[in-house]
Amino acid sequence: MDLQPALQQYFAFDTFREGQEQTIKQLLSGHSTLSIFPTGAGKSLCYQFSAIHLPHLTLVVSPLLALMKDQLAFLKSKGIAAASIDSTLTPQENQTVMRDIRQGMIKILMVSVERFKNERFREFIASIDISMLVVDEAHCISEWGHNFRPDYLKLPRYRQELNIPLVLLLTATATRKVKKDMAQRFAIAPEHIVQTGFYRNNLDLTVLPVASQDKDKQLVDLIKQQQGSGIVYVTLQQSAEQVAKYLATQQISATAYHAGLDNDLRHQIQSDFMAGQCQVVVATIAFGMGIDKADVRFVIHYDLPKSIENYSQEIGRAGRDGLKSNCITLANLDGINTVENFVYGDTPELEGIAVVVDNICKEVSNGQWELQLLSLSNDANIRQLPLKTLLVQLELKQVIKPLYAYFAEYRYKFLTEQSVLLNQFHGERQQFLKAIFDHTQFKKIWGSLDIESLYQHYGCERSRVVAALDYLQEQGHIVLESKKITEVFSVDEQALSQPELVQVLSDYFLDKEQKEIERIAALVRFFELDRCLTANLARYFDDQNAPEQCGHCSVCRGQVAKLAYSHKPQLPEDGRLKSVLNGFKQHIEIKTKRSPSVGTYCRFLAGISIPLFSRNKVRQLDGFGCCEQVRFQSIKDKVVELI
């Protein structure tokens, strides 16, 4: 099979990069494949090229909207018919994409994994012939992986339900354990795993022990020694703003980038950086995926990254043009508790899990349970992301199964006068619309529709009402807003009543927490190695072919790092802590009629945000976050001793 002519015709490349041709040949011979290439090594071409040669649609699951948009722009430039179904499309654009897919005009469809929760999408995609499922950033499927996304666990089941013959998993970061886990979930044979070398000889790695008070000066000195543009990674949004501001005072063109900025501004910063109009972006991990800038000359970690996987992904954005680039970590132990606290904040307590299970037991009706994520998150005192993980675990244990989702609230305002609008319809359709308008409570110009009352008086299906409102919006007659998404699940009440269920779920989260804390410890051990950093990084990702000594890392230059605290963090005195904990206890008991748990006391002292604190104005209490510099385990030991 000579693939060269098509490579030249569609992509204008003369040769394949390492691993691409093997991946494509395996797929076109009908073998599902897992491909692990370094960041920037051309993973996307594997599915793009294969999709052109497969008879039906290729469905790509991607974790980030920005990634999808970049890929679509690239495919469009090559004349390859591709589309996405995502939250930025209008209902009309959505309809157009679906019609084009039905007519076979689209070869590649990109969606997020969350799209499968949408019942209308599931019904639509089940009616389409699909040749291949592509999972981008596939390490998200592994609970051993660093960016585990609970909804990814359901992809093997979707593949079965949709009867998709071929799967391609793509990632840049997979340890041996993660690799095995991913392949097993999709029954990919070991001989169909394609892994190119992880080692990159143009990246110079340095670990520089620096006390916190000296970081800013050290950062400025380092940037002034570099040529070209770079990225400075920090842990917190607030740090991104502060560091960027400081660099600007030192005549360095720098911009902060984090998830707290609005979309348009983030796009603007990205395009300024790509165009070379901004030298340095100071960013949280929100920045990077989908940044395909070939000439990033340096990546500096101002704070410790979250894990070895995150570190390798972030430095992988440097030097994609193959030219020498510097990757420097300003390292100390000061921020270690911040990274760990993200983990502890995401571990639900046993009581919270019991609240969720209890809620299902009490609210189940005719075998169905309705969920509004925000209110359940508040009731159970579990952050929304871990709550989603909990729901996926209940799904995998076959306790619940998603049926569909709907918006609990619809409100609209007229752009066409009501009587003029009604006169455009006749007979029953006119009566139906009049019933919708009559069951809407208007305050000034906006009206809220009472679907329950409409159903009792007119007896129409909810789906018909929603379709009518969508149609009126499409035709420019109304502006429509929908709020409070409600998810509906079927419930297996026998599985729900297992006596050990809450404990099993709690053990799962505690195990996950332990893995994450161990991952952070492994990161510190890596930075303190006395053997070649580059070689050990390659081995971590199961690349056994990297040289024993690279000659371009700080250890090979004889600089072995020892990480320390700038100031050893101390707990406040016992008297102060007792007073603070008492004040907190009284506040919570007045507000909730319940005493705080040990975990809640610890999160209060560590300054970790959880729903209970946001709802009850806990951040304003004396002592909130008074131990935020101290490791969580030390706080826990002290709390147990004091209470």
Side-chain angles (χ1 to χ4, degrees), residues 199-206 531-539 545-558:
Y199 170 65
R200 288 179 59 194
N201 63 6
N202 64 319
L203 296 189
D204 186 299
L205 309 190
T206 299
R531 301 179 310 286
C532 174
L533 296 173
T534 312
N536 276 281
L537 191 61
R539 303 263 187 291
N545 300 318
E548 286 295 321
Q549 287 189 303
C550 68
H552 49 85
C553 75
S554 46
V555 174
C556 286
R557 286 190 287 273

Side-chain angles (χ1 to χ4, degrees), residues 205-468:
L205 309 190
T206 299
V207 180
L208 206 57
V210 183
S212 289
Q213 59 271 26
D214 302 328
K215 268 190 187 177
D216 286 348
K217 183 183 181 310
Q218 184 79 63
L219 180 65
V220 169
D221 292 346
L222 284 168
I223 292 174
K224 288 189 169 169
Q225 290 163 26
Q226 309 298 321
Q227 302 293 314
S229 57
I231 306 169
V232 175
Y233 280 108
V234 296
T235 306
L236 303 171
Q237 294 182 8
Q238 188 186 350
S239 312
E241 299 283 354
Q242 286 166 351
V243 173
K245 207 172 278 181
Y246 176 73
L247 291 178
T249 67
Q250 303 300 304
Q251 283 68 59
I252 291 169
S253 156
T255 312
Y257 182 104
H258 54 76
L261 303 174
D262 78 56
N263 267 343
D264 292 346
L265 181 55
R266 292 199 336 224
H267 285 310
Q268 189 57 53
I269 294 166
Q270 280 191 11
S271 44
D272 287 352
F273 183 63
M274 298 296 277
Q277 286 163 7
C278 161
Q279 188 201 356
V280 180
V281 172
V282 184
T284 59
I285 56 170
F287 184 77
M289 282 177 133
I291 298 299
D292 200 4
K293 184 172 167 64
D295 60 349
V296 173
R297 290 278 72 87
F298 61 93
V299 168
I300 299 175
H301 280 91
Y302 183 88
D303 294 323
L304 287 185
K306 283 170 66 178
S307 64
I308 295 176
E309 289 90 341
N310 280 76
Y311 172 71
S312 82
Q313 252 186 353
E314 287 153 19
I315 64 171
R317 290 172 188 132
R320 292 186 178 185
D321 54 8
L323 302 178
K324 182 176 181 279
S325 302
N326 295 314
C327 306
I328 303 160
T329 303
L330 304 180
N332 60 41
L333 295 177
D334 297 357
I336 200 101
N337 57 302
T338 310
V339 183
E340 287 183 346
N341 285 353
F342 282 129
V343 177
Y344 291 116
D346 272 350
T347 303
E349 294 183 63
L350 186 76
E351 298 89 336
I353 296 170
V355 168
V356 173
V357 171
D358 196 41
N359 181 283
I360 303 173
C361 291
K362 284 180 180 158
E363 304 274 325
V364 67
S365 167
N366 299 325
Q368 290 190 3
W369 173 61
E370 296 200 354
L371 152 79
Q372 283 184 0
L373 199 67
L374 178 62
S375 62
L376 186 58
S377 166
N378 285 333
D379 292 345
N381 191 28
I382 301 175
R383 288 181 186 177
Q384 289 194 30
L385 189 65
L387 179 55
K388 287 178 185 174
T389 306
L390 175 57
L391 295 172
V392 170
Q393 287 304 314
L394 285 165
E395 265 186 69
L396 295 172
K397 294 188 180 351
Q398 296 180 332
V399 175
I400 59 174
K401 184 182 177 192
L403 295 175
Y404 57 92
Y406 66 86
F407 289 103
E409 286 181 11
Y410 282 92
R411 58 184 220 128
Y412 61 89
K413 65 177 181 182
F414 288 109
L415 297 176
T416 302
E417 197 188 318
Q418 186 175 329
S419 56
V420 174
L421 174 51
L422 284 171
N423 284 337
Q424 296 183 22
F425 297 89
H426 305 285
E428 193 274 336
R429 290 184 75 188
Q430 189 184 61
Q431 286 169 13
F432 171 54
L433 286 179
K434 187 171 185 322
I436 290 178
F437 302 154
D438 288 348
H439 289 275
T440 301
Q441 281 92 41
F442 282 93
K443 284 183 184 168
K444 293 188 179 166
I445 57 169
W446 283 93
S448 292
L449 173 62
D450 185 340
I451 294 187
E452 200 54 46
S453 132
L454 174 64
Y455 178 72
Q456 282 165 8
H457 288 86
Y458 200 86
C460 52
E461 285 302 314
R462 180 189 182 87
S463 55
R464 186 184 175 198
V465 178
V466 174

